[in-house]
Amino acid sequence: MNTCGVTIKAVAARVPSIAVRNFDEQWFSEISEADQLAWQDKWGIEQRFFTDSSRHTPLQLAHSVAAEAISLAQLQAQDIDMLISGTTNVVQLSQNEQCGLPKKLLYPRVSQALKQTLALENAIEFDIQNECSTMMDAMQIGHNAIKTGRAKQVLLVVFETSSNSLNRTEANGMNFGDGYAAIVLSRHDDPNLGIQSQSYQSFPNNYSLATVKWDEQPKTPTGLSFHMPEEGASEMGKFVPKTLPKLVYSALEKSAIQPSDIDFYVFHQPARKLIDAWCAYLKIPSEKTIKIMQEYGCAVSAAMPLAFNLALLQQKIAAGSQIVIASPSVGWGFGAQVWQLGELPKCSPQIHQSILDSQNTTRNESQ
């Protein structure tokens, strides 16, 4: 029997170059000010970041953040023996011929390309996809692979380019920002480290409330756009605020601990009011979590690791903490994991691609 533990060795995150605030005339000029004000009050999002396809392809940014995670974990490419990647975006528009891929392809089929560009010669690779919960699900799969002896070093990569599927004429098209993230999980000799308990639930009852559909008259580069009916937000309010805490309570009960015993909560980042509701149902203070949607929008599967990275940067999590990672995903699925940390994961010191590009330009000019 394998008695090893699992540690989160590194968390890396990246937001791309184009910062777009609400009421931006270039991006959201067709949405009335009244609709924008109502939408902003409902979701608490003030800004998001979009990928500048003239400067970076999604695959390049995914490669960059994955390579940073490997470096932060003090590993080499050949040390990685499992790669799990995922994205919610259905159509890839960037140039990928260098990886032997066609110009346009359906997602998610990118793990082989990432394996090739990262030179992960010893890794088995595959893709998963569960919308906003993809990184959390990848952490469970990677954790299980290490616990069963199937892997020692697992690289998880998610990347989201929702900007390709945003209908700029509808307020709900303002929800999302692009984001890229990677996590390295590693085998540890301490069997007490890793996921202590978990709970998941998936049901499609409310699928139509929030989904991506083909447009009869395409208004986006992909021909796809995010759709939410007018009553969508109010209908979501009937079950999303309560269901996620139920899964958290279920996971905690398996470990015989209370919400107050948890040191920090890393939630998905869909809306300010939702996170406030989750804290209220769990009876935990707001200081035990982080809210980032006001600056980064909802970055889908990259939102949780972005929040995780920023919480580490802001020293909100201490070594040896017990944390909860929890997320809903449209479809609808919900999940929660209780993690026992050891040493803190290393994290990205800078997550803004535009600043990193500027630093690289300055460095090159000085050489």
Side-chain angles (χ1 to χ4, degrees):
M1 181 178 179
N2 195 317
T3 58
C4 74
V6 179
T7 184
I8 304 173
K9 194 78 171 176
V11 179
R14 190 86 80 251
V15 292
S17 304
I18 303 174
V20 179
R21 296 191 62 80
N22 300 347
F23 314 104
D24 186 290
E25 293 185 359
Q26 178 181 351
W27 288 84
F28 304 126
S29 60
E30 296 186 51
I31 304 172
S32 71
E33 183 176 353
D35 285 346
Q36 290 198 46
L37 286 169
W39 173 88
Q40 180 173 279
D41 178 67
K42 186 181 301 179
W43 297 98
I45 296 170
E46 300 175 10
Q47 180 177 265
R48 74 287 296 148
F49 289 81
F50 294 152
T51 304
D52 185 350
S53 58
S54 68
R55 301 177 66 184
H56 312 100
T57 69
L59 192 62
Q60 287 171 336
L61 293 177
H63 172 280
S64 174
V65 77
E68 182 181 20
I70 294 172
S71 176
L72 287 168
Q74 297 183 318
L75 297 172
Q76 302 297 318
Q78 60 267 26
D79 297 326
I80 304 297
D81 44 28
M82 181 174 288
L83 164 67
I84 308 173
S85 63
T87 178
T88 302
N89 306 288
V90 179
V91 178
Q92 159 74 317
L93 295 178
S94 63
Q95 299 288 330
N96 287 318
E97 289 89 341
Q98 71 271 26
C99 301
L101 298 174
K103 183 176 181 179
K104 295 183 180 181
L105 70 159
L106 292 178
Y107 276 149
R109 296 291 183 269
V110 293
S111 59
Q112 185 180 22
L114 277 173
K115 176 180 178 177
Q116 182 174 334
T117 61
L118 291 164
L120 307 180
E121 56 189 37
N122 297 321
I124 180 174
E125 80 282 0
F126 57 93
D127 297 271
I128 66 170
Q129 194 265 331
N130 191 23
E131 281 76 38
C132 304
S133 296
T134 299
M135 179 59 93
M136 181 183 68
D137 294 347
M139 293 177 76
Q140 181 73 68
I141 296 169
H143 178 277
N144 293 352
I146 293 172
K147 292 288 285 186
T148 57
R150 298 292 183 181
K152 292 183 178 180
Q153 310 287 350
V154 180
L155 173 64
L156 317 171
V157 186
V158 294
F159 53 110
E160 302 290 359
T161 51
S162 299
S163 53
N164 284 333
S165 302
L166 294 183
N167 184 346
R168 302 183 197 175
T169 67
E170 297 181 358
N172 285 321
M174 298 169 64
N175 283 46
F176 301 102
D178 296 353
Y180 305 79
I183 288 176
V184 174
L185 303 181
S186 297
R187 185 189 186 281
H188 198 280
D189 291 337
D190 185 349
N192 297 309
L193 300 183
I195 296 177
Q196 307 299 294
S197 56
Q198 63 281 307
S199 189
Y200 302 100
Q201 182 180 18
S202 181
F203 56 96
N205 308 49
N206 300 286
Y207 177 81
S208 61
L209 290 181
T211 188
V212 174
K213 297 181 180 179
W214 293 104
D215 292 323
E216 293 182 5
Q217 296 179 328
K219 298 179 181 179
T220 67
T222 62
L224 294 154
S225 66
F226 175 76
H227 286 264
M228 181 185 293
E230 188 172 337
E231 72 280 6
S234 60
E235 287 299 311
M236 288 165 59
K238 295 178 181 179
F239 67 96
V240 177
K242 298 179 181 179
T243 304
L244 189 68
K246 286 180 181 178
L247 272 290
V248 174
Y249 275 117
S250 175
L252 293 174
E253 185 178 358
K254 294 176 184 179
S255 292
I257 55 179
Q258 299 297 316
S260 58
D261 297 325
I262 295 298
D263 298 300
F264 199 79
Y265 290 78
V266 185
F267 291 124
H268 176 53
Q269 302 286 307
R272 180 185 60 236
K273 290 181 179 179
L274 277 177
I275 293 182
D276 289 343
W278 296 337
C279 290
Y281 277 108
L282 291 165
K283 300 178 181 177
I284 58 172
S286 59
E287 292 77 18
K288 281 198 171 186
T289 190
I290 186 171
K291 289 179 282 189
I292 68 167
M293 77 293 297
Q294 64 273 14
E295 184 174 354
Y296 302 103
C298 177
V300 200
S301 67
M304 181 277 290
L306 275 169
F308 196 178
N309 195 120
L310 289 168
L312 290 167
L313 271 181
Q314 295 172 25
Q315 300 181 340
K316 294 179 177 289
I317 304 174
S321 292
Q322 275 192 315
I323 68 170
V324 162
I325 292 174
S327 175
S329 62
V330 294
W332 285 83
F334 297 83
Q337 302 168 349
V338 179
W339 279 82
Q340 176 61 58
L341 301 183
E343 293 182 7
L344 283 179
K346 297 294 190 295
C347 67
S348 298
Q350 178 54 256
I351 70 170
H352 293 267
Q353 186 63 43
S354 57
I355 295 176
L356 291 168
D357 287 344
S358 177
Q359 290 173 347
N360 289 334
T361 299
T362 302
R363 191 178 298 113
N364 291 334
E365 289 176 349
S366 65
Q367 290 178 350

